Amino acid sequence: MWWCALLPETCGPCPIDAAGLALWALQFTPRVAQVEAAVVMEVSASLRLFGGAAALAGRVREGAAVFGAVRLAWGPNSLAALALARTGQAWVDGRTLADQLDGLPLQALAAAAPHRAALGRMGCTSLGALRRLPRAGVARRFDAGLLESLDRLYGQQAEAHEWLRVPEHFDARLELAYRVDTAPALLAGAQHLLQALAGWLSARQVGITAFTLHWAHDALRSRAAGEGDSVTVRTAEITRDPVHLGRLLAEHLGKTTLAAPVGDLRLVAHECQPLPGASASWLPEDATDGEPLPRTLERLAIRLGAGRVVRPVLREDHRPERMTDWVPANRPLGAAPRGDAPSGPQPGFLRAEPLRLLVLNHRPHYGGELQLLLGPQRVEAGWWDRDEARGEHGHTARDYWVARSPRAGVLWIFQTRDAEPAWYLHGFFA
């Protein structure tokens, strides 16, 4: 059984550091506990999943630095890992647990800290010296918790931890170390919350499509500024990637002006949905170095405006001009339509508006008289599409043909089925 201990350098005025660090650690193992102002993880079952101890240690060390936890150590039990982390020591393979711990100073064990002065006067300055003292005398002179902690440290007594329970909803706060006057500067504090959110999402095996960052104004604000404000970030795809969420938040904050200095942040997750795992590929062409296109479009939509960055989505409709709809790039996509494919051939290029054709001797013309090759393909739909206020309706009744023009090539034309039929050009075949 292997444990990893994460020891924050300083807790400071940021209460989210320890709690947020514990939530973040849940993405590596469900066995996470807070012990003596530090976070410990039982990672034996996760080593193979993350590519071994070295790979896991690298990922943990890199991510935990956001919370100020730059001390990381391994050990066969939580107190041993924590003792090594406190003293900046590393586990050495081939040495016994006693050999690793005997030379450590007393401050490596939290239970010995209150008695360090008394033990020092007795010439006891290391854990090995403390372990060699008569147990009966130690029990009489010091509290029983010292011997119990010492036994757990050396693996002579089993440990019992209260594992962190994953909350049903994510709602975390962060008190900033100093007052912030500009909205983009809030991102540094929000990164703590986003990292904690990533661990919570991983533990819940879900992703999100929206979250809200609230901020509270300083108590010395003007009355007109109000108590605070917020910004809501939405994504087009379900995600739990804190880097991507941070980029989207940065775009929003770059367009925000604070009404007063901010001293407190709060992050609330919305619209959580199950996030299926993605299988890795052995094919080299599947590996991409750049940012995926949907994520780039999301950031551009925030920067330029939702109405200026749109993408096409399919619709279930038999009318060719209604088969595609344009929606904002940052709007979540619904399920793809499952309607049957069109029965006839479809052109590669469709005109935005059908062009009415010249008709001579009951024959349509476009660059000369058109020769009808294939058809008709009847389309009749849209009777339900009405706007009573404007007196408009979308009912369509057409017969489509594949035709050949002497100059324009193969065309897609249709004839209306009204009282006075007319011919229109609607598309071109490549």
Side-chain angles (χ1 to χ4, degrees):
M1 182 177 295
W2 281 96
W3 290 76
C4 178
L6 300 170
L7 183 66
E9 281 289 342
T10 57
C11 294
C14 299
I16 187 63
D17 278 354
L21 179 61
L23 284 174
W24 169 83
L26 287 170
Q27 61 188 295
F28 301 106
T29 174
R31 295 187 173 184
V32 177
Q34 290 185 251
V35 178
E36 301 173 1
V39 175
V40 295
M41 304 183 295
E42 200 284 290
V43 295
S44 298
S46 304
L47 295 180
R48 183 178 179 185
L49 176 63
F50 289 95
L56 178 57
R59 292 188 57 172
V60 172
R61 181 177 290 105
E62 180 181 0
V66 176
F67 301 91
V70 295
R71 295 192 184 182
L72 180 150
W74 299 80
N77 61 68
S78 63
L79 290 184
L82 190 54
L84 293 172
R86 285 197 178 103
T87 54
Q89 303 292 322
W91 180 264
V92 180
D93 291 333
R95 297 183 63 186
T96 64
L97 178 60
D99 292 338
Q100 298 270 6
L101 300 177
D102 280 348
L104 299 182
L106 291 178
Q107 56 264 33
L109 183 63
H115 315 293
R116 192 169 62 175
L119 291 170
R121 289 192 294 269
M122 299 167 53
C124 180
T125 59
S126 66
L127 295 178
L130 175 61
R131 189 165 65 99
R132 288 188 292 269
L133 290 177
R135 294 180 62 88
V138 173
R140 287 194 305 269
R141 187 163 183 176
F142 305 103
D143 59 86
L146 176 58
L147 287 178
E148 293 179 2
S149 296
L150 192 65
D151 290 341
R152 289 197 298 269
L153 174 65
Y154 280 87
Q156 297 172 354
Q157 185 174 332
E159 293 185 295
H161 293 285
E162 184 177 352
W163 303 118
L164 178 65
R165 295 184 179 181
V166 184
E168 291 290 330
H169 305 282
F170 185 86
D171 187 344
R173 293 180 178 273
L174 172 66
E175 181 183 351
L176 299 177
Y178 51 86
R179 298 300 177 256
V180 174
D181 297 319
T182 60
L186 296 177
L187 185 63
Q191 291 290 357
H192 288 74
L193 299 169
L194 289 175
Q195 291 290 341
L197 173 63
W200 179 82
L201 292 172
S202 179
R204 300 283 300 177
Q205 297 185 1
V206 297
I208 59 171
T209 56
F211 69 90
T212 299
L213 178 69
H214 302 266
W215 56 83
H217 292 150
D218 186 76
L220 300 179
R221 67 185 181 275
S222 65
R223 185 174 300 179
E227 294 185 358
D229 207 344
S230 65
V231 62
T232 297
V233 178
R234 296 187 177 277
T235 65
E237 299 178 339
I238 306 173
T239 182
R240 69 169 68 126
D241 183 4
V243 176
H244 177 54
L245 295 177
R247 289 174 180 170
L248 297 182
L249 179 59
E251 296 290 346
H252 280 282
L253 293 178
K255 302 167 59 177
T256 302
T257 301
L258 298 181
V262 173
D264 185 80
L265 297 180
R266 176 186 173 212
L267 188 71
V268 181
H270 307 299
E271 302 178 15
C272 299
Q273 303 179 36
L275 182 62
S279 299
S281 175
W282 291 92
L283 303 178
E285 59 267 23
D286 287 348
T288 57
D289 297 330
E291 185 180 46
L293 178 60
R295 295 189 174 186
T296 303
L297 294 178
E298 285 184 77
R299 293 195 295 110
L300 289 176
I302 297 173
R303 187 176 304 177
L304 304 178
R308 296 185 178 182
V309 182
V310 295
R311 58 179 171 180
V313 295
L314 297 178
R315 294 179 55 188
E316 289 191 73
D317 204 308
H318 292 285
R319 295 167 291 180
E321 65 274 16
R322 303 292 183 92
M323 289 182 177
T324 304
D325 198 7
W326 293 89
V327 301
N330 59 349
R331 180 184 301 176
L333 299 179
R338 298 183 179 181
D340 297 333
S343 58
Q346 301 293 303
F349 303 93
L350 201 66
R351 288 181 57 91
E353 294 289 339
L355 175 66
R356 184 161 183 170
L357 299 177
L358 175 67
V359 178
L360 298 175
N361 298 324
H362 306 287
R363 303 287 293 183
H365 285 64
Y366 184 81
E369 182 177 331
L370 299 183
Q371 178 185 1
L372 303 182
L373 302 178
L374 183 64
Q377 175 189 347
R378 181 156 296 179
V379 173
E380 186 166 359
W383 53 267
W384 61 87
D385 206 355
R386 293 180 176 273
D387 190 340
E388 300 294 345
R390 299 183 179 181
E392 300 176 354
H393 64 84
H395 182 255
T396 298
R398 306 168 180 169
D399 286 338
Y400 278 89
W401 295 79
V402 178
R404 181 181 181 277
S405 168
R407 296 183 180 179
V410 182
L411 310 176
W412 205 44
I413 64 175
F414 68 83
Q415 183 183 33
T416 61
R417 298 177 58 241
D418 303 328
E420 297 181 1
W423 289 91
Y424 290 85
L425 170 63
H426 205 174
F428 300 85
F429 288 89

